[in-house]
Amino acid sequence: MSTDLDARVRDLLDRYDGPDACAAELLCDAHPADAVAFTIVEPDLSAGDLTYGELRERSSRFAAALAGLGVGPGDRVATLMAKSADLVVALLGIWRRGAVHVPLFTAFAPPAIEFRLAASNTKVVVADADQAPKLLACEGFPSGDPATPRGRTGADAEPRLAPRDSSGSADGPTSPPITIVAGDALPGTVSFHDLLDTHRADDPRAVPVAVGGDGLLVQLFTSGTTGTPKGVPIPVRALASFHAYQEFALDVRGDDVYWNAADPGWAYGLYYAILAPLATGVRSLLLHAGFSAPLTWEVLRRFGVTNFAAAPTVYRALRADGQVPDGVALRRASSAGEPLTPEVVAWSRDALGVAVRDHYGQTEHGMVICHAWHPDLDADAPAGSMGRQLPGWACAVLAEDSDTEAAPGEVGRVAIDTDHSPLLWFLGYLDDPERTSARFTADGRWYLTGDVGARDADGFFRFSARDDDVIIMAGYRIGPFEVESVLVMHAQVAEAAVVGMPDDLRGEVLEAFVVPREGVDGDDELVAELQQLVKDEFAAHAYPRRVHFVASLPKTPSGKVQRFLLRGKETR
Ligand code: ATP
Ligand code: MG
């Protein structure tokens, strides 16, 4: 690693770590008041700029309002909100108060919301008006009981949190979270906009609280791809690594139009569509709408996006949508969150004029291994590689059967060296010491990502599979991803997932779940073609013994295939 970048890592740690680190100052007040933080794009493509000055004013009012509701430093405040100016104001208000943000994805159904609210002991929830009914359907919520009249806001009229016991924990299940609604308030809820109108930015309770680098900023949950989502508490100093990623891997520059299209209900969107832009102070776009390929093209074109980041499925959908509109001119493109399939890279190189680069990370760390765009890190990566460890991180592949590093090219467990990764911030899972300790080698030196891959002699990592998804057939280890990449090359296949099924003779055999393209009937002929394709393009032994045609694959709300649910399927 170049010493300049090492020095930059140290600078960033100085900025975001230490007892005085204050999130609201770092993410808002430190930037010039007239600088634009976000350009918020509406579904009709009208747009408005949100400056740091406006954010400071409005989030101060909200921090004062939260204080009035009894929220103090360390209290959990959730948001169930779309990507909007209100969301950014709410977040900065929460952090100004020294409180901890709990993101809730807007596509969640009540059980997923209840799980996260209970696990995080949330005190207050801020919801968009169209989300509020879902919230009120959750257990323990007022369910329309007009205990708090509509739009009630004066300081005396505000509901307050029940007093805390000496341990600082909540009073118990009898005090459901207070609900704040952005838009028309419902009975039993408080209006977000009225709270802003009735509080002052110079209220002494709006003075930003410094919780320090170890203090908590966010209580997030993993995607739940391999089982129940795990709670990941995120300290303020994690901002150093988010900032570093935006500089080192994305190479976002002052004159870029940067857009990370991911949803902030998840790590990729929260870290790199909200936190990293606020940390660096570089303007970025927020689209106040869900995903559609035509709208994405239109935003890329109209707003002159130069630096685009999105999950691989977004690129796949753009590719399926057809021609790239004139005027789309990307300088940088990247993806993360799941394997980047080769057909996307090939398409983007031709169609977009820039090959999408693969970045790898986890909720627990943010990005750690990237095919980086920064000129000092740029290198010709071998096809299919995710890139190299970023400055500030030391990653390795450990042998399967011992906690020593595997030889170059050998497949093993992708791990992070906790002794040599100054940007590491993971504190362990919320209330789950067992799952936490399973993440580390016995001596505590290595964090085990739960992913399997290989590193070549030049330091490039190649993703193979998640630990749980590796198929061991007659002694061969096969990652489903390589087989899936071949299956989706077939013109009649939209999506595919491959899992290992128990087999008396071989231990496990491969079975494929294939979603055919629209209008295609999965028949024996297609099965034979797919089996042959895998033999020709990947390996003769790794063809799927059975192919099941299905209408869709089980996925997390963020779109990741849950192979463990397919493995549980009775197929014979
Ligand atoms: P859970 O931990 O709850 O099962 P999850 O691991 O999917 O869910 P995230 O933290 O959102 O939760 O995702 C991180 C995982 O996503 C990584 O461990 C890896 O398996 C996968 N991943 C992320 N980026 C890439 C990438 N570029 N290529 C391949 N896989 C990736
Ligand atoms: Mg995980």
Side-chain angles (χ1 to χ4, degrees):
M1 189 203 312
S2 109
T3 46
D4 283 357
L5 297 181
D6 279 337
R8 181 66 182 140
V9 167
R10 284 194 297 275
D11 280 355
L12 291 172
L13 283 167
D14 280 349
R15 183 179 328 178
Y16 295 104
D17 207 353
D20 300 331
C22 172
E25 268 169 24
L26 292 162
L27 298 174
C28 181
D29 303 357
H31 302 304
D34 58 351
V36 175
F38 292 101
T39 297
I40 313 280
V41 181
E42 298 299 329
D44 65 1
L45 294 172
S46 61
D49 285 343
L50 189 59
T51 64
Y52 282 102
E54 287 164 325
L55 277 174
R56 183 175 185 158
E57 161 81 24
R58 284 150 73 182
S59 67
S60 296
R61 289 166 179 252
F62 188 54
L66 285 174
L69 293 171
V71 172
D75 282 334
R76 273 50 172 174
V77 179
T79 57
L80 184 59
M81 303 171 86
K83 294 168 275 187
S84 63
D86 283 345
L87 171 67
V88 187
V89 169
L91 294 180
L92 285 168
I94 292 167
W95 295 323
R96 196 171 289 283
R97 187 68 195 132
V100 181
H101 172 227
V102 181
L104 298 171
F105 184 42
T106 47
F108 278 153
I113 295 171
E114 277 168 19
F115 166 73
R116 285 164 178 78
L117 292 182
S120 60
N121 194 13
T122 287
K123 300 293 192 299
V124 173
V125 187
V126 193
D128 284 339
D130 61 350
Q131 293 285 332
K134 209 162 58 181
L135 200 54
L136 298 183
C138 290
E139 195 153 340
F141 276 77
S143 66
D145 168 14
T148 309
R150 190 184 168 93
R152 182 175 175 178
T153 51
D156 294 343
E158 286 172 12
R160 283 184 61 88
L161 295 176
R164 301 167 143 257
D165 62 24
S166 54
S167 69
S169 66
D171 262 5
T174 47
S175 49
I178 295 168
T179 306
I180 300 174
V181 176
D184 282 342
L186 301 166
T189 70
V190 185
S191 158
F192 179 73
H193 297 119
D194 286 352
L195 286 176
L196 294 188
D197 288 346
T198 53
H199 288 82
R200 295 171 55 102
D202 60 2
D203 188 309
R205 297 170 301 177
V207 172
V209 175
V211 298
D214 292 334
L216 293 191
L217 185 71
V218 178
Q219 173 57 63
L220 188 55
F221 290 81
T222 60
S223 300
T225 312
T226 54
T228 320
K230 300 171 280 271
V232 178
I234 301 166
V236 169
R237 74 185 139 81
L239 292 169
S241 82
F242 305 156
H243 187 138
Y245 169 73
Q246 184 163 318
E247 243 177 67
F248 299 157
L250 298 176
D251 186 33
V252 175
R253 299 181 189 169
D255 57 355
D256 261 331
V257 179
Y258 168 60
W259 183 29
N260 175 319
D263 193 281
W266 303 103
Y268 191 29
L270 182 72
Y271 299 174
Y272 308 117
I274 303 278
L275 287 168
L278 288 174
T280 58
V282 176
R283 174 178 82 107
S284 77
L285 300 189
L286 265 191
L287 175 61
H288 190 187
F291 172 75
S292 91
L295 185 58
T296 304
W297 281 133
E298 220 22 53
V299 174
L300 289 171
R301 192 182 67 80
R302 284 246 203 138
F303 294 88
V305 174
T306 54
N307 198 321
F308 184 53
T313 105
V314 166
Y315 291 101
R316 283 195 279 272
L318 291 176
R319 172 175 175 247
D321 192 56
Q323 284 284 309
V324 180
D326 281 347
V328 172
L330 296 178
R331 190 175 73 83
R332 307 279 185 243
S334 55
S335 84
E338 52 180 319
L340 181 61
T341 34
E343 87 281 2
V344 172
V345 181
W347 163 79
S348 60
R349 185 178 291 116
D350 293 345
L352 294 175
V354 56
V356 177
R357 292 193 171 186
D358 195 9
H359 295 171
Y360 165 90
Q362 297 193 312
T363 307
E364 292 88 334
H365 310 286
M367 299 305 171
V368 290
I369 294 172
C370 295
H371 186 189
W373 281 107
H374 188 290
D376 292 356
L377 300 170
D378 191 15
D380 242 355
S385 137
M386 310 187 291
R388 297 197 263 214
Q389 66 195 26
L390 285 178
W393 296 95
C395 302
V397 171
L398 299 187
E400 289 291 351
D401 48 4
S402 78
D403 295 341
T404 55
E405 291 194 42
E410 193 183 308
V411 172
R413 297 167 295 160
V414 178
I416 298 173
D417 184 346
T418 61
D419 285 349
H420 298 97
S421 299
L423 289 177
L424 185 105
W425 50 262
F426 179 59
L427 301 165
Y429 296 121
L430 178 68
D431 297 334
D432 205 339
E434 273 163 35
R435 279 162 113 184
T436 302
S437 67
R439 277 290 185 223
F440 293 91
T441 52
D443 62 1
R445 159 106 188 255
W446 299 96
Y447 169 93
L448 305 168
T449 60
D451 292 314
V452 172
R455 175 162 70 165
D456 71 14
D458 296 320
F460 288 102
F461 286 78
R462 186 184 290 274
F463 177 84
S464 176
R466 289 167 182 271
D467 257 349
D468 298 358
D469 291 337
V470 172
I471 301 157
I472 304 178
M473 191 188 72
Y476 292 106
R477 304 178 70 81
I478 302 166
F481 167 57
E482 283 173 301
V483 182
E484 291 161 4
S485 297
V486 173
L487 293 173
V488 298
M489 283 164 55
H490 195 288
Q492 294 182 341
V493 172
E495 279 187 296
V498 168
V499 297
M501 291 289 192
D503 180 79
D504 290 343
L505 195 61
R506 302 179 193 84
E508 280 186 306
V509 289
L510 273 75
E511 296 197 7
F513 291 78
V514 169
V515 182
R517 280 200 188 277
E518 230 173 271
V520 173
D521 279 333
D523 55 15
D524 288 350
E525 199 181 327
L526 183 53
V527 171
E529 282 178 27
L530 292 174
Q531 290 173 328
Q532 191 58 44
L533 193 66
V534 175
K535 291 180 191 173
D536 293 346
E537 300 290 332
F538 176 53
H541 69 291
Y543 74 90
R545 297 301 193 274
R546 287 166 183 253
V547 177
H548 309 276
F549 294 105
V550 291
S552 62
L553 299 173
K555 288 185 181 170
T556 64
S558 55
K560 298 187 187 199
V561 178
Q562 294 170 302
R563 292 186 192 78
F564 79 99
L565 292 178
L566 293 172
R567 276 196 294 275
K569 269 212 157 88
E570 195 53 68
T571 59
R572 50 201 76 209

